[in-house]
Structure formats: C-alpha cells, structure tokens
Amino acid sequence: MKRLRVLIIDDSAVIRRAFTEILNQDPDIEVMGTAADPYIAASKIAEEVPDVITLDVEMPRMDGLTFLRKLMSQHPIPVVVISSLTAHATESAILAMEYGAVSVLKKPDTYISLQADIAHYIIDAVKSAGKAKLRRKSAADTREKAIRVKRPYSESMAQTTDKVIAVGASTGGTEAILEFLRAMPLDTYGIVIVQHMPEVFTRSFADRLNNICDITVKEAAHGDTVIRGRALIAPGNKHMELKRSGARYYVELNDHEPVNRHRPSVDVLFRSTAKYAGKNSIGIIMTGMGADGAAGLLEMKQAGAETVAQNEESCVVFGMPKEAIKLGAANKTLALERIADYVSRIK
C-alpha cells in the first residue's frame, strides 16, 4: 500500500526535525522533505507533489495564509496547519481553515511536550488529511464575509428552547459547521456543537462564526443555557454535556478522560443529549475521520430523536457519518447544503 508522502513547512529547524521523527515512525507515512519557508516549499512541490502538507502560519518571506491561498487556488493539496498560540497566529489558523486547510493543531512549547503530548494527534491529523476530498478555492470562496451586527443579548431575558440540536464534526468540520450555521434562521432551536479542535482555537473559531452568522455563536462556558438563536461550541480539551433543570437546558463542561481519543468527544455530547432531551432533540453527525459520535447518535435515535448524517459526496472525510450509517443511527442521510433546511422544518 502506498505510503502518504508529507512535506513539512516550518521556519523552526527543531520543529522540522521533530515532525520528521514523529511521522516517520508510522509505517503508512513517509516525510518526503522539509522547507523553512513557502518559497523553498514551492520549489520542492514543483519537483514532486506531496500527498499532505503540514504548515506553520507565521514564517519569514511569506506567511502561511498567503501560501495557502495561492496553493488552494492553483493546486489543492491537503494541509494541516500547526500554529503557535499567539493571538495573531491563532486568528490566522482559524482563517486558514476557511481558506481550505483540513485541520489545525496547536504547536507545542517544547520538543519534550511535542513528543509526549501530541505525537499521535499529528499522525492522526496527517492520515485524516490524506483521505480528504478537496476542491479548488476561488477568490470568491476565500473573501472576507461581512460582519453581522447582533442584537444585545441578555441571559436573564432568554427563553429556553423546546428542542435541542446537537452537532458533531471533525476533519473538514469547520467549513461544514460554518455552512450549516449561516443557513440557520434567527429563531432556530438552541444548538450545541462538538468540533474536534485544540483548546484556545475553539474560542477564535466561535468568534469568527459569530461575526459571520446571523445567529449568535459562542464558545460554551460551564452552565450556559441552551436557547433559541444561539449555538454553543465545546471548548477544546473539555467535554461538553447537555443537562436539564425543569424546562431549562444547559451545558456542563468537564475534564474527564478522552473518549474515542477525543476531548471534547461527540459521543459524550450525543449520549447526554439522548438522556436529557430524548425525542426533543435533533442529532447531526458531519464530516470527520473515525467513529466518534456514531454510537451516541444511535442512542439519540433510540431515545426518539431525529438524526441526520452528512452524505459521502459532501464530506471532506466520510468516516464518522459512515460509521453512524453502518450502525443504523441516522434517520436521514443528506448533502451538507440540505441539512439546515431539513432541520429548520422539524417542529
């Protein structure tokens, strides 16, 4: 079986060496080369096209965003962005996913933490990217969206939702969630979302969605009420569970062990939604590698919820939805562009 050939682009020699050592440990991956900046990378790509690229955001001579936009408009290649946690780099990493990057990882502070903490995440991200279906991004696809002006929001004035929409996604999910939320009406049922993403990045992701979508989007805080017209996104490295007190739905965050190697886990969210909302919930599983969320979606269906899986044609990676469909967990299998309309019609 052909190994995935990976090009590493990072201005740090330590990072390039560490990523090479980590990725070459996996028998399904081969590092074909490294580059200290996008100009060197471009010359290497001209000689041999990699299957996957790992890309730093902040680099000399040309930043990662500029390189990514050029790459995706001319010759799309799956890209995993690995970014530091400076404010600018974090914002740029989220924007990179809108420009076509498959996923984003947090760059570790030290070589030791790299080896100990995130080696398997890097390998998993590269393998997920290797399965991704990409399309060429035009200038229109990547242009800045108009910032929405939201009505002042007061938690004390909020009415609880009568239904809850629970969404789970992984690889390719940032764009899928954006498309879904942009199509949802202002009075939509309350939405709770798990997107596999490292801590810190989820806040920037939520803030960016809030600036683009008509509904309110925020990174969830412990105890947040689930209300109409608002989507709560689970913070990176925190499980999010739905709870109920009387007529009020709210979320709880915790640091319990990862489930399916993920924290937050889609299964954790879906199982709690099945338990506390049951037939008053709608479950949606979107693009992503692996099986996280499949068993939880089945529990939602068994509890009487309406359940939807994104179809293969519109997925970047048809892993999580495929596993849910195999379990018989999805009542409907729909193209991404049809999900918001379908869900909006459920009474």
Coordinates of all heavy atoms in Angstrom, one line a residue, residues 3-61:
R3 N 2.5 4.7 0.7 CA 2.6 5.5 1.9 C 2.2 7.0 1.6 O 2.5 7.4 0.5 CB 4.0 5.4 2.5 CG 4.3 4.1 3.1 CD 5.5 4.1 4.0 NE 6.8 4.3 3.2 CZ 8.0 4.5 3.7 NH1 8.1 4.4 5.1 NH2 9.0 4.6 3.0
L4 N 1.7 7.6 2.6 CA 1.4 9.1 2.5 C 2.7 9.8 2.5 O 3.5 9.7 3.4 CB 0.5 9.6 3.6 CG -1.0 9.3 3.6 CD1 -1.6 9.8 4.9 CD2 -1.6 10.0 2.4
R5 N 2.9 10.6 1.4 CA 4.2 11.4 1.4 C 3.9 12.8 1.9 O 3.0 13.5 1.4 CB 4.7 11.4 -0.1 CG 5.1 10.0 -0.5 CD 5.7 10.0 -1.9 NE 6.8 10.8 -2.1 CZ 8.1 10.5 -1.7 NH1 8.3 9.4 -1.0 NH2 9.1 11.2 -2.0
V6 N 4.6 13.3 2.9 CA 4.3 14.5 3.6 C 5.5 15.5 3.4 O 6.7 15.2 3.5 CB 4.1 14.2 5.1 CG1 3.8 15.5 5.8 CG2 3.0 13.2 5.3
L7 N 5.1 16.8 3.2 CA 6.0 17.9 3.1 C 5.8 18.8 4.4 O 4.7 19.2 4.6 CB 5.9 18.7 1.9 CG 6.7 20.0 1.8 CD1 8.2 19.7 1.7 CD2 6.3 20.8 0.5
I8 N 6.8 19.0 5.2 CA 6.8 19.8 6.4 C 7.3 21.2 6.1 O 8.4 21.4 5.7 CB 7.6 19.1 7.5 CG1 7.0 17.7 7.8 CG2 7.6 20.0 8.8 CD1 8.0 16.9 8.7
I9 N 6.5 22.2 6.4 CA 6.9 23.6 6.2 C 6.8 24.3 7.5 O 5.8 24.5 8.1 CB 5.9 24.3 5.2 CG1 5.8 23.5 3.9 CG2 6.5 25.7 4.8 CD1 4.8 24.1 2.9
D10 N 8.0 24.7 8.0 CA 8.1 25.4 9.3 C 9.5 26.1 9.3 O 10.5 25.5 8.9 CB 7.9 24.4 10.4 CG 7.6 25.1 11.7 OD1 8.5 25.8 12.3 OD2 6.5 25.0 12.3
D11 N 9.5 27.3 9.9 CA 10.8 28.0 9.9 C 11.7 27.5 11.0 O 12.9 27.9 11.1 CB 10.6 29.5 10.0 CG 9.8 29.9 11.2 OD1 9.0 29.2 11.7 OD2 10.1 31.1 11.7
S12 N 11.2 26.7 11.9 CA 12.0 26.2 13.0 C 12.6 24.8 12.7 O 11.9 23.9 12.4 CB 11.1 26.0 14.3 OG 11.8 25.2 15.3
A13 N 13.9 24.8 12.7 CA 14.6 23.5 12.4 C 14.3 22.5 13.5 O 14.2 21.3 13.1 CB 16.1 23.8 12.4
V14 N 14.1 22.9 14.7 CA 13.7 21.9 15.8 C 12.4 21.2 15.5 O 12.2 20.0 15.6 CB 13.7 22.6 17.1 CG1 13.1 21.7 18.2 CG2 15.1 23.1 17.5
I15 N 11.4 22.1 15.1 CA 10.1 21.5 14.7 C 10.2 20.6 13.5 O 9.6 19.5 13.5 CB 9.1 22.7 14.5 CG1 8.8 23.4 15.8 CG2 7.8 22.1 13.9 CD1 8.1 22.6 16.9
R16 N 10.9 21.1 12.5 CA 11.0 20.2 11.3 C 11.6 18.9 11.6 O 11.1 17.8 11.1 CB 11.9 20.9 10.2 CG 11.3 22.2 9.7 CD 11.9 22.6 8.4 NE 13.4 22.9 8.5 CZ 13.9 24.0 8.9 NH1 13.2 25.1 9.2 NH2 15.3 24.1 8.9
R17 N 12.6 18.9 12.4 CA 13.3 17.6 12.8 C 12.3 16.7 13.6 O 12.2 15.5 13.4 CB 14.6 17.9 13.6 CG 15.3 16.6 14.0 CD 16.7 16.9 14.6 NE 16.6 17.6 15.8 CZ 16.9 18.9 16.0 NH1 17.3 19.6 15.0 NH2 16.8 19.4 17.2
A18 N 11.6 17.4 14.6 CA 10.7 16.6 15.5 C 9.6 16.0 14.7 O 9.2 14.9 14.9 CB 10.2 17.5 16.6
F19 N 9.0 16.8 13.8 CA 7.8 16.3 13.0 C 8.3 15.2 12.1 O 7.6 14.2 11.9 CB 7.2 17.4 12.1 CG 6.4 18.4 12.9 CD1 6.2 18.3 14.3 CD2 5.8 19.5 12.3 CE1 5.5 19.2 15.0 CE2 5.0 20.4 13.0 CZ 4.8 20.3 14.3
T20 N 9.5 15.3 11.6 CA 10.0 14.2 10.7 C 10.2 12.9 11.5 O 9.8 11.8 11.0 CB 11.4 14.6 10.1 OG1 11.2 15.8 9.3 CG2 12.0 13.5 9.3
E21 N 10.7 13.0 12.7 CA 10.9 11.8 13.5 C 9.5 11.2 13.9 O 9.4 10.0 13.8 CB 11.7 12.2 14.8 CG 13.1 12.6 14.6 CD 13.8 13.0 15.8 OE1 13.1 13.1 16.9 OE2 15.0 13.4 15.8
I22 N 8.6 12.0 14.2 CA 7.3 11.5 14.6 C 6.6 10.8 13.5 O 6.1 9.7 13.6 CB 6.4 12.7 15.2 CG1 6.9 13.1 16.6 CG2 4.9 12.3 15.3 CD1 6.3 14.4 17.1
L23 N 6.5 11.5 12.3 CA 5.7 11.0 11.2 C 6.4 9.8 10.6 O 5.7 8.8 10.2 CB 5.6 12.1 10.1 CG 4.7 13.2 10.5 CD1 4.7 14.3 9.5 CD2 3.2 12.8 10.8
N24 N 7.7 9.7 10.6 CA 8.4 8.6 10.0 C 8.3 7.3 10.9 O 8.6 6.2 10.4 CB 9.9 8.9 9.7 CG 10.1 9.6 8.4 OD1 9.2 9.6 7.5 ND2 11.2 10.3 8.3
Q25 N 7.8 7.5 12.1 CA 7.6 6.3 13.0 C 6.4 5.5 12.5 O 6.3 4.3 12.8 CB 7.3 6.8 14.4 CG 8.5 7.3 15.2 CD 8.1 7.9 16.5 OE1 6.9 7.8 17.0 NE2 9.0 8.6 17.2
D26 N 5.5 6.1 11.8 CA 4.3 5.4 11.3 C 4.6 4.8 9.9 O 5.1 5.4 9.0 CB 3.1 6.4 11.1 CG 1.8 5.7 10.9 OD1 1.6 5.1 9.8 OD2 1.0 5.6 11.9
P27 N 4.3 3.5 9.8 CA 4.7 2.8 8.6 C 3.8 3.2 7.4 O 4.2 3.0 6.2 CB 4.3 1.3 8.9 CG 3.4 1.4 10.0 CD 3.7 2.6 10.8
D28 N 2.7 3.9 7.6 CA 1.9 4.4 6.5 C 2.3 5.8 6.0 O 1.7 6.3 5.1 CB 0.4 4.4 6.9 CG -0.1 3.0 7.2 OD1 0.4 2.1 6.6 OD2 -0.9 2.9 8.1
I29 N 3.3 6.4 6.6 CA 3.7 7.8 6.3 C 5.2 7.9 6.0 O 6.0 7.2 6.6 CB 3.4 8.7 7.5 CG1 1.9 8.7 7.8 CG2 3.9 10.2 7.2 CD1 1.5 9.5 9.1
E30 N 5.5 8.7 5.0 CA 6.9 9.0 4.7 C 7.1 10.5 4.5 O 6.3 11.1 3.7 CB 7.3 8.3 3.4 CG 8.7 8.6 2.9 CD 9.0 8.0 1.6 OE1 8.1 7.3 1.0 OE2 10.1 8.3 1.0
V31 N 8.0 11.1 5.2 CA 8.3 12.5 5.1 C 9.2 12.6 3.8 O 10.3 12.2 3.8 CB 9.0 13.1 6.3 CG1 9.4 14.6 6.0 CG2 8.1 13.0 7.5
M32 N 8.6 13.3 2.8 CA 9.4 13.4 1.5 C 10.3 14.6 1.5 O 11.2 14.7 0.7 CB 8.4 13.6 0.3 CG 7.5 14.7 0.4 SD 6.7 15.2 -1.1 CE 7.9 16.4 -1.8
G33 N 10.1 15.5 2.5 CA 11.0 16.7 2.6 C 10.5 17.7 3.6 O 9.4 17.6 4.1
T34 N 11.4 18.7 3.8 CA 11.0 19.8 4.7 C 11.4 21.1 4.0 O 12.2 21.1 3.1 CB 11.7 19.7 6.1 OG1 13.1 19.9 5.9 CG2 11.5 18.3 6.7
A35 N 10.8 22.2 4.5 CA 11.1 23.5 3.9 C 11.0 24.6 5.0 O 10.0 24.5 5.9 CB 10.1 23.8 2.8
A36 N 11.9 25.5 5.0 CA 11.9 26.5 6.1 C 11.0 27.7 5.8 O 10.7 28.5 6.6 CB 13.3 27.1 6.3
D37 N 10.5 27.8 4.5 CA 9.5 28.8 4.2 C 8.8 28.4 2.9 O 9.2 27.4 2.2 CB 10.2 30.2 4.0 CG 11.2 30.3 2.8 OD1 10.8 29.8 1.7 OD2 12.3 30.8 3.0
P38 N 7.7 29.1 2.5 CA 6.9 28.7 1.4 C 7.6 28.8 0.0 O 7.3 28.0 -0.9 CB 5.8 29.7 1.4 CG 5.6 30.1 2.9 CD 7.0 30.1 3.4
Y39 N 8.7 29.6 -0.1 CA 9.4 29.7 -1.4 C 10.2 28.4 -1.6 O 10.2 27.8 -2.7 CB 10.3 30.9 -1.4 CG 9.6 32.2 -1.5 CD1 9.4 33.0 -0.4 CD2 9.2 32.6 -2.8 CE1 8.7 34.2 -0.5 CE2 8.5 33.9 -2.9 CZ 8.3 34.6 -1.8 OH 7.6 35.8 -1.9
I40 N 10.8 27.9 -0.5 CA 11.5 26.6 -0.6 C 10.5 25.5 -0.9 O 10.7 24.6 -1.7 CB 12.3 26.4 0.6 CG1 13.4 27.4 0.8 CG2 13.0 25.0 0.6 CD1 14.1 27.4 2.2
A41 N 9.4 25.6 -0.2 CA 8.3 24.6 -0.4 C 7.8 24.5 -1.8 O 7.6 23.4 -2.4 CB 7.2 24.9 0.6
A42 N 7.6 25.7 -2.4 CA 7.1 25.7 -3.8 C 8.1 25.1 -4.7 O 7.6 24.4 -5.7 CB 6.9 27.2 -4.2
S43 N 9.4 25.2 -4.5 CA 10.3 24.6 -5.4 C 10.3 23.1 -5.3 O 10.5 22.3 -6.2 CB 11.7 25.1 -5.2 OG 12.2 24.8 -3.8
K44 N 10.1 22.6 -4.0 CA 10.0 21.2 -3.8 C 8.7 20.6 -4.4 O 8.8 19.5 -5.0 CB 10.1 20.9 -2.3 CG 11.4 21.2 -1.7 CD 11.4 20.8 -0.2 CE 12.8 21.1 0.5 NZ 13.8 20.1 0.0
I45 N 7.6 21.3 -4.3 CA 6.4 20.9 -4.8 C 6.4 20.8 -6.4 O 5.8 19.9 -7.0 CB 5.2 21.8 -4.4 CG1 5.0 21.6 -2.9 CG2 3.9 21.5 -5.2 CD1 4.0 22.6 -2.3
A46 N 7.2 21.7 -7.0 CA 7.4 21.7 -8.4 C 8.1 20.4 -8.9 O 7.8 19.9 -10.0 CB 8.1 22.9 -8.9
E47 N 8.9 19.9 -8.0 CA 9.7 18.6 -8.4 C 8.8 17.4 -8.0 O 8.9 16.4 -8.8 CB 11.0 18.6 -7.6 CG 11.9 19.7 -7.9 CD 13.2 19.7 -7.1 OE1 13.3 18.8 -6.2 OE2 14.1 20.5 -7.2
E48 N 8.1 17.4 -6.9 CA 7.3 16.3 -6.5 C 6.1 16.8 -5.6 O 6.4 17.5 -4.7 CB 8.1 15.3 -5.7 CG 7.4 14.0 -5.3 CD 8.2 13.1 -4.5 OE1 9.4 13.4 -4.3 OE2 7.7 12.0 -4.2
V49 N 4.9 16.4 -6.0 CA 3.8 16.8 -5.3 C 3.5 15.9 -4.1 O 3.3 14.7 -4.3 CB 2.5 16.9 -6.2 CG1 1.3 17.3 -5.4 CG2 2.7 17.8 -7.4
P50 N 3.5 16.5 -2.9 CA 3.2 15.7 -1.7 C 1.7 15.3 -1.6 O 0.9 15.9 -2.2 CB 3.6 16.6 -0.5 CG 3.4 18.0 -1.1 CD 3.7 17.9 -2.5
D51 N 1.4 14.3 -0.8 CA 0.0 13.9 -0.5 C -0.6 14.8 0.5 O -1.8 15.1 0.5 CB -0.1 12.5 0.0 CG 0.5 11.5 -1.1 OD1 0.0 11.6 -2.2 OD2 1.3 10.7 -0.7
V52 N 0.3 15.3 1.5 CA -0.2 16.1 2.6 C 0.9 17.1 2.9 O 2.1 16.8 2.8 CB -0.5 15.3 3.9 CG1 -0.9 16.2 5.0 CG2 -1.6 14.3 3.6
I53 N 0.5 18.3 3.4 CA 1.5 19.3 3.8 C 1.1 19.7 5.3 O 0.0 19.9 5.6 CB 1.4 20.6 2.9 CG1 1.9 20.3 1.5 CG2 2.1 21.8 3.6 CD1 1.7 21.5 0.6
T54 N 2.2 19.8 6.1 CA 2.0 20.4 7.4 C 2.5 21.9 7.3 O 3.6 22.1 6.7 CB 2.7 19.7 8.6 OG1 4.1 19.8 8.4 CG2 2.3 18.2 8.6
L55 N 1.8 22.8 7.8 CA 2.1 24.2 7.5 C 2.1 25.1 8.8 O 1.1 25.1 9.5 CB 1.1 24.8 6.5 CG 1.3 26.3 6.1 CD1 2.6 26.5 5.3 CD2 0.0 26.7 5.2
D56 N 3.2 25.8 9.0 CA 3.2 26.8 10.0 C 2.5 28.1 9.5 O 2.4 28.3 8.3 CB 4.6 27.2 10.4 CG 4.8 28.0 11.7 OD1 3.7 28.2 12.4 OD2 5.9 28.6 11.9
V57 N 2.0 28.9 10.4 CA 1.3 30.2 10.0 C 2.3 31.3 9.8 O 2.3 32.0 8.8 CB 0.2 30.5 10.9 CG1 -0.5 31.9 10.6 CG2 -0.9 29.4 10.9
E58 N 3.1 31.5 10.9 CA 4.0 32.7 10.9 C 5.4 32.3 10.5 O 6.1 31.6 11.2 CB 4.0 33.3 12.3 CG 2.6 33.8 12.7 CD 2.6 34.5 14.1 OE1 3.2 33.9 15.0 OE2 2.0 35.5 14.3
M59 N 5.8 32.7 9.3 CA 7.1 32.4 8.7 C 7.6 33.6 8.0 O 6.9 34.5 7.6 CB 6.9 31.2 7.7 CG 6.6 29.9 8.4 SD 6.5 28.6 7.2 CE 5.0 29.0 6.4
P60 N 9.0 33.6 7.8 CA 9.6 34.7 7.1 C 9.3 34.6 5.6 O 9.0 33.6 5.1 CB 11.1 34.5 7.4 CG 11.2 33.1 7.7 CD 9.9 32.7 8.3
R61 N 9.5 35.8 4.9 CA 9.4 35.9 3.5 C 8.0 35.8 3.0 O 7.5 36.6 2.2 CB 10.3 34.9 2.7 CG 11.8 35.1 3.0 CD 12.6 34.8 1.8 NE 12.6 33.4 1.6 CZ 13.2 32.8 0.5 NH1 13.7 33.6 -0.5 NH2 13.1 31.5 0.3

